[in-house]
Amino acid sequence: NAGVTQTPKFRVLKTGQSMTLLCAQDMNHEYMYWYRQDPGMGLRLIHYSVGEGTTAKGEVPDGYNVSRLKKQNFLLGLESAAPSQTSVYFCATWTVDNEQFFGPGTRLTVL
Amino acid sequence: GENVEQHPSTLSVQEGDSAVIKCTYSDSASNYFPWYKQELGKRPQLIIDIRSNVGEKKDQRIAVTLNKTAKHFSLHITETQPEDSAVYFCASGDDYKLSFGAGTTVTVRA
């Protein structure tokens, strides 16, 4: 039981490049989330999903896209990376105990 | 949307003393108020939470209080220890969506 995993752990991109972050969970949770964490700004919700095939915008969705084709996976895409997207990205699920459970994070640097 | 303000942004305490972190929220419909602890390079982890039908909750050295009328809630850590040094985040929201405060960096001095 791996819980919530994120791939990759670290990545460096050049401005304009694209990439996809993968979040995988083996706990059969319906709700999944993508947050970004920046110094002094806490955790801000990018997009979330309340079930397979559904997605919704969060607080800071611009520049990101998501897909939830399978219940266990939630993908976050950056089509054209910008330096402002340098951040630590956390995936999370909502557990049956009504708690937000976070993955280990992905540190992304955009040069 | 929900706006959560957290104070102070940094807090330094002597080992054995108490630490208090305060948060205010704006959405009166919020009914869930968790606190997370994040050690350097790690994921945020839930340490305690409270729901709007409860005014206070305690778990060993940590406690949370909630004042719905004033829309604020607080985290209290008693008898602080070096391992309490971390960043603490408050959050508020409903049953599946949260808004987070900016975080408080707590340093416990030996």
Side-chain angles (χ1 to χ4, degrees), chain A residues 33 37 94 98 100 102, chain B residues 36 38 43 51 89 95-96:
Chain A
Y33 308 77
Q37 183 177 33
W94 198 267
N98 289 325
Q100 185 108 83
F102 289 90
Chain B
Y36 289 82
Q38 186 179 29
R43 74 186 79 191
R51 297 190 183 272
F89 293 96
D95 285 335
Y96 71 92

Side-chain angles (χ1 to χ4, degrees), chain B:
Chain B
E2 173 76 288
N3 181 41
V4 180
E5 294 191 357
Q6 182 172 347
H7 300 279
S9 57
T10 60
L11 181 60
S12 179
V13 296
Q14 190 71 36
E15 183 177 356
D17 287 350
S18 295
V20 180
I21 304 169
K22 299 182 179 181
C23 288
T24 60
Y25 63 99
S26 60
D27 189 348
S28 57
S30 291
N31 59 11
Y32 179 53
F33 306 92
W35 287 87
Y36 289 82
K37 176 182 180 182
Q38 186 179 29
E39 297 175 348
L40 191 63
K42 305 283 188 178
R43 74 186 79 191
Q45 291 192 292
L46 179 71
I47 55 171
I48 195 168
D49 58 11
I50 192 168
R51 297 190 183 272
S52 60
N53 58 341
V54 177
E56 184 173 354
K57 184 176 178 181
K58 190 173 181 180
D59 183 4
Q60 298 184 340
R61 295 186 297 108
I62 59 173
V64 58
T65 58
L66 170 66
N67 183 328
K68 280 187 65 183
T69 303
K71 295 201 190 85
H72 67 70
F73 55 112
S74 301
L75 177 72
H76 304 253
I77 308 173
T78 58
E79 300 172 20
T80 53
Q81 300 170 5
E83 54 264 37
D84 295 328
S85 294
V87 179
Y88 292 81
F89 293 96
C90 64
S92 73
D94 58 19
D95 285 335
Y96 71 92
K97 200 157 155 226
L98 297 174
S99 294
F100 286 81
T104 298
T105 301
V106 173
T107 303
V108 179
R109 306 186 308 271

